[in-house]
Amino acid sequence: MAKTITVKLVLNRTIRKTYADKTYWEYVIFESPFDPGTYGAHFIIGHIREWHEDSHIEVYFPKHSMVSEEFEINGNRYRLRIDNSVK
C-alpha cells in the first residue's frame, strides 16, 4: 500500500520539507497548459549533508484529480495528494 503525502497547491514554486536528520523532500507543482485543472509535479528526496538528490521523479495526476498516480522511490511507494484549501 502506498503512503500518501499531502502537499499544498502552490504552482511553479519549489516547496521543501527538511527533517532533523537532514533528509528532505521537495516538489514543484505545475498545471497543464493544455488542460487547466490537470497537474503534475517534480518530486525530489535527498540528503543535505551530501547536497545530493537521492531520487527525483515526475509525478502525474489523472485528469482533474487531486491524488496522483502511485510512484516508487528507493523501494517505497507513494502518492501525492494536493490540498487546495485556503488556510
Side-chain angles (χ1 to χ4, degrees), residues 15-26 46-49 51:
I15 306 295
R16 179 182 277 203
K17 169 85 173 169
T18 304
Y19 297 93
D21 67 356
K22 304 296 185 196
T23 58
Y24 70 91
W25 52 264
E26 69 181 37
H47 199 282
I48 291 175
R49 276 187 218 146
W51 289 106

Side-chain angles (χ1 to χ4, degrees), residues 29-55:
I29 297 175
F30 51 90
E31 186 172 30
S32 170
F34 307 108
D35 188 14
T38 299
Y39 301 100
H42 185 77
F43 191 77
I44 298 170
I45 291 179
H47 199 282
I48 291 175
R49 276 187 218 146
E50 298 152 10
W51 289 106
H52 105 347
E53 300 167 359
D54 290 336
S55 294

